[in-house]
Amino acid sequence: MTDYQYSRDDWPPGRVLVQSATYNECENIELLIDAVLASSPELQLLIIDDDSPDGTGQIALERAAREPRLHVLSRRGRRGLGSAILDGFQLARRRGFAVSLNLDADFSHDPTDIPRLLAALDPVGGPAHDIAIGSRRVPGGRTVGWPLSRHIASWLVCAFTRWVLGVPVQDSSGGFRAVRLSVLDRIDLGDFAQGYAFQEDFLWRVHRAGGSVVEIPITFTDRIRGTTKADFAESKRSIGELLHLARITWLGH
Ligand SMILES: Nc1nc2c(ncn2[C@@H]2O[C@H](COP(=O)(O)OP(=O)(O)OP(=O)(O)O)[C@@H](O)[C@H]2O)c(=O)[nH]1
Ligand SMILES: [Mg+2]
């Protein structure tokens, strides 16, 4: 196996590519594929799997062999959520898609919200945006099922991004986003945070490039199936990556 493998070369043309990064999501993957593909016949779905030991990638590949709107990018070894999303953006752009719609694979993000998020990117009669965020922190948004410790950790990260990194976004850590891929031409693509801090890093770069971001309310539900990948090591890495961004913001290097 090479480092990267694609399930197919003959992609149908399309405008929106839904993307979900997966690591050990075997309980969720088939349900996710069904839910996303059912949400609109126009959408295609890319699963970016990092060699999941539980066979998630294999399940997706088997489905992709029968479903032309489903694609799998299989990467060797666990390489981090951020690097998966960036690889997905670049693949989508190479394939001619205009928009990437990203969501987690564990149903914390409700696939039935996808059309609302896409509509927010190009509001009728209003200005177009570069990013539409499915937000828990605007009126009407909420988080269901989290213990207090996670609410506090999430609040701290969002406050840090807003006040220390200067990014005027309420929910900067969520991964439910529609992104206009042309924004990639306006930001520096080098040296991104590889892990979960990619979410803040990407918004930070888009904001500094003068990009436009809108937040629309969603209900985020804590995962019901499978286990978290946001462990202690991942949290430690994210804190380091956020401090690195703070240094660049305030000291310029
Ligand atoms: N490809 C890839 N996907 C990853 C990696 N780490 C996490 N993911 C996926 O990223 C998404 C978010 O991970 P979660 O474990 O749900 O993180 P979380 O939402 O902060 O925490 P919980 O929902 O409580 O588990 C899920 O779809 C994971 O499968 C990784 O290293 N590579
Ligand atoms: Mg999750």
Side-chain angles (χ1 to χ4, degrees):
M1 185 178 165
T2 53
D3 273 4
Y4 291 82
Q5 274 190 347
Y6 306 99
S7 53
R8 71 174 66 238
D9 274 328
D10 56 330
W11 295 38
R15 179 174 172 274
V16 178
L17 183 63
V18 179
Q19 310 198 26
S20 191
T22 57
Y23 189 75
N24 285 347
E25 299 287 359
C26 71
E27 296 97 331
N28 290 306
I29 187 69
E30 293 222 77
L31 296 167
L32 179 79
I33 292 168
D34 290 340
V36 169
L37 294 182
S39 71
S40 160
E42 310 282 308
L43 300 178
Q44 297 182 52
L45 170 62
L46 173 68
I47 300 296
I48 307 149
D49 184 70
D50 279 3
D51 241 356
S52 293
D54 74 352
T56 300
Q58 200 49 44
I59 298 169
L61 278 170
E62 280 160 21
R63 288 289 302 268
R66 289 177 276 126
E67 172 51 73
R69 290 194 291 137
L70 174 64
H71 314 285
V72 185
L73 170 56
S74 312
R75 309 193 309 166
R76 187 146 76 171
R78 187 170 178 193
R79 297 180 177 206
L81 174 61
S83 102
I85 295 171
L86 191 59
D87 274 356
F89 282 167
Q90 286 170 328
L91 179 55
R93 203 156 56 140
R94 280 203 303 281
R95 292 285 174 173
F97 290 90
V99 171
S100 171
L101 185 302
N102 291 68
L103 80 171
D104 290 351
D106 57 2
F107 284 88
S108 286
H109 304 142
D110 182 349
T112 64
D113 285 332
I114 290 174
R116 225 161 39 87
L117 220 56
L118 291 173
L121 210 52
D122 291 291
V124 181
H129 300 287
D130 294 305
I131 303 179
I133 298 178
S135 176
R136 302 161 280 195
R137 299 186 178 281
V138 292
R142 63 195 190 115
T143 301
V144 174
W146 266 5
L148 182 63
S149 56
R150 289 217 56 184
H151 280 285
I152 293 170
S154 165
W155 185 88
L156 285 172
V157 168
C158 290
F160 181 92
T161 305
R162 202 168 154 73
W163 301 115
V164 180
L165 302 185
V167 181
V169 164
Q170 305 296 332
D171 188 350
S172 51
S173 61
F176 198 12
R177 297 174 178 181
V179 174
R180 197 181 303 283
L181 291 165
S182 57
V183 79
L184 298 181
D185 297 330
R186 311 202 320 258
I187 61 173
D188 173 13
L189 295 178
D191 199 24
F192 258 111
Q194 302 285 298
Y196 282 54
F198 175 88
Q199 307 293 11
E200 293 84 10
D201 189 346
F202 187 65
L203 290 178
W204 179 79
R205 291 179 200 224
V206 169
H207 172 64
R208 285 162 73 100
S212 149
V213 179
V214 66
E215 294 183 77
I216 60 157
I218 57 152
T219 296
F220 175 102
T221 313
D222 194 19
R223 68 159 69 234
I224 293 166
R225 290 171 295 272
T227 52
T228 184
K229 283 89 213 174
D231 53 16
F232 179 69
E234 190 57 62
S235 307
K236 217 171 88 183
R237 167 159 77 168
S238 292
I239 291 169
E241 290 174 334
L242 289 174
L243 292 174
H244 174 70
L245 292 179
R247 211 182 65 208
I248 301 173
T249 305
W250 290 92
L251 302 178
H253 63 88

